[in-house]
Amino acid sequence: MKTLTKISNTIMEKCLPDPYIFVTILTVLVLLLGVSLADSSPLEMVTYWGGNFWK
């Protein structure tokens, strides 16, 4: 069982990207969609994200 766990961990560490990449991509995607669909400026979108993230 240890061998199987070690092999699966090795495969996942090599193939699965860092979660920070997903966060960055989704943040940029939401920014672009907000600018294009909500008719907000990029500065307004950053203000919305930064001002409401901690609330």
Side-chain angles (χ1 to χ4, degrees):
M1 193 65 172
K2 282 186 175 185
T3 305
L4 182 62
T5 304
K6 187 175 181 177
I7 291 170
S8 66
N9 281 342
T10 304
I11 292 171
M12 285 299 126
E13 286 176 356
K14 288 183 180 181
C15 296
L16 196 65
D18 187 32
Y20 183 73
I21 298 296
F22 290 120
V23 170
T24 305
I25 291 171
L26 288 175
T27 299
V28 170
L29 179 66
V30 168
L31 174 75
L32 294 175
L33 286 172
V35 168
S36 63
L37 297 178
D39 293 329
S40 297
S41 71
L43 181 60
E44 288 175 333
M45 290 302 297
V46 171
T47 304
Y48 295 148
W49 186 87
N52 294 320
F53 182 76
W54 298 109
K55 291 182 182 178

